[in-house]
Amino acid sequence: MNPIAEKVRQEIITAINKDQLVLPTLPEVALKVREVADDPEADIDKLTGVIGNDPALSARIIRVANSPLLRASRAIEDLRTALMRLGIQYTCNIATGLAMEQMFQATSDLVDMRMREVWSRSSEVAGISHVLCKHYTRLRPDQATLAGLVHKIGVLPILTYAEDHPALLKDSFTLDAVIDELHGPIGDMILRTWGFPEELAHIPTQHIDFSRQSPKVDYADIVTVAMLQSYLGTDSPMAKIDCSKVKAFERLGLDPDIHVTESEDLSEEMEAAMSLLL
């Protein structure tokens, strides 16, 4: 890391240690939805009341319930029926992910552009994660979708920091170096602050630990493979990773040389999964 990047890294770490780095908070509707999901006494009516106060989110939840991914036999037009089809936990994860999109915005054009790029990539990884989870594991696709959406959440406070330090914002090489090194641990910190379950709380660091050992396939494995697949054919350094050395492929039972996104059997389903988040 060059001296400027190292200086910035130290400043951000110092800010973290002194609780001076402003971590993003979940949108209010996402917090309320997660409160309902964590309440053993909660029911569909209570969840309908919370989500129903947000017309835009309500419309998107209804669209999810009508998605080809769920192979619905008839169209749903009202929120309560949509939630009955999805269930409380599925709705909680999808609603959290959909509500998060508003966090990826900034006042500076440069930062706003970068944040939208992160959200776009995260949405793609989430869509691929959903399909990989459904076809290659017995884990929950809705949970895998949320894991994909939060895998780079640690970039947000770094970009917010850069917004207050114009010199860093104009030096994309240094900014990228800082993001590459710090977004993982900062992301873990954010998800712990949000009270995410243990199986998701370390996704930001675990998904880039390509030699990580695990007794069985988990959500970090799914996001690792989805992320690497999303970069295939790009000029990103991630496109040059030797996937044969990435343990996640083995645990998923996937050939490291396969291009899942080009599979005729899965590509249409992946597009449908990604469309839910756009």
Side-chain angles (χ1 to χ4, degrees):
M1 182 174 284
N2 67 46
I4 299 176
E6 177 60 26
K7 177 177 179 292
V8 172
R9 187 183 76 88
Q10 287 298 335
E11 287 177 358
I12 292 178
I13 290 175
T14 299
I16 291 171
N17 293 336
K18 293 183 176 180
D19 290 329
Q20 294 174 343
L21 186 70
V22 179
L23 299 179
T25 56
L26 273 175
E28 185 177 2
V29 66
L31 289 170
K32 289 182 177 178
V33 167
R34 298 190 77 79
E35 283 178 11
V36 172
D38 290 339
D39 180 0
E41 303 296 321
D43 56 21
I44 290 294
D45 288 330
K46 188 171 184 180
L47 188 57
T48 302
V50 169
I51 295 178
N53 288 323
D54 189 320
L57 182 59
S58 298
R60 295 180 76 179
I61 291 292
I62 292 172
R63 194 178 81 180
V64 170
N66 286 310
S67 166
L69 288 174
L70 300 178
R71 295 185 170 85
S73 57
R74 62 185 180 83
I76 285 177
E77 297 180 359
D78 68 282
L79 179 61
R80 189 177 188 282
T81 307
L83 299 186
M84 289 178 66
R85 174 175 288 177
L86 296 175
I88 290 179
Q89 285 301 324
Y90 193 110
T91 300
C92 172
N93 285 329
I94 296 300
T96 299
L98 292 173
M100 278 173 50
E101 183 178 6
Q102 64 187 267
M103 299 166 58
F104 288 79
Q105 297 175 12
T107 53
S108 158
D109 288 343
L110 276 174
V111 173
D112 192 64
M113 181 180 69
R114 275 186 170 260
M115 284 191 175
R116 291 181 187 279
E117 286 173 355
V118 173
W119 176 254
S120 177
R121 177 67 60 184
S122 297
S123 298
E124 183 172 329
V125 170
I128 298 172
S129 294
H130 180 107
V131 176
L132 288 176
C133 183
K134 180 179 176 182
H135 287 273
Y136 295 99
T137 80
R138 294 184 178 181
L139 298 173
R140 291 168 45 194
D142 57 298
Q143 195 91 310
T145 302
L146 184 57
L149 284 176
V150 300
H151 80 285
K152 292 196 77 170
I153 193 68
V155 175
L156 285 185
I158 299 174
L159 289 177
T160 300
Y161 175 93
E163 198 166 22
D164 295 330
H165 297 77
L168 175 61
L169 195 56
K170 293 175 182 176
D171 184 351
S172 60
F173 178 82
T174 298
L175 182 55
D176 287 340
V178 172
I179 286 173
D180 288 345
E181 180 162 349
L182 293 184
H183 84 82
I186 292 176
D188 282 9
M189 186 184 308
I190 292 169
L191 297 186
R192 287 197 302 272
T193 301
W194 288 355
F196 269 46
E198 190 65 20
E199 58 194 354
L200 296 186
H202 303 287
I203 291 291
T205 52
Q206 289 179 341
H207 87 279
I208 45 179
D209 183 359
F210 300 139
S211 60
R212 185 176 65 91
Q213 299 295 324
S214 176
K216 58 184 179 180
V217 67
D218 56 20
Y219 292 106
D221 288 330
I222 294 169
V223 174
T224 295
V225 173
M227 181 271 293
L228 291 173
Q229 290 283 315
S230 79
Y231 280 112
L232 289 176
T234 72
D235 57 2
S236 166
M238 289 297 175
K240 301 176 178 63
I241 296 292
D242 182 357
C243 292
S244 66
K245 297 179 180 178
V246 178
K247 299 296 184 182
F249 281 89
E250 183 179 327
R251 286 191 287 271
L252 270 167
L254 275 172
D255 180 347
D257 295 324
I258 193 172
H259 288 202
V260 177
T261 54
E262 295 178 2
S263 166
E264 290 185 10
D265 296 334
L266 301 181
S267 59
E268 187 173 332
E269 199 169 340
M270 285 182 184
E271 286 181 15
M274 290 176 212
S275 72
L276 297 181
L277 306 166
L278 300 175

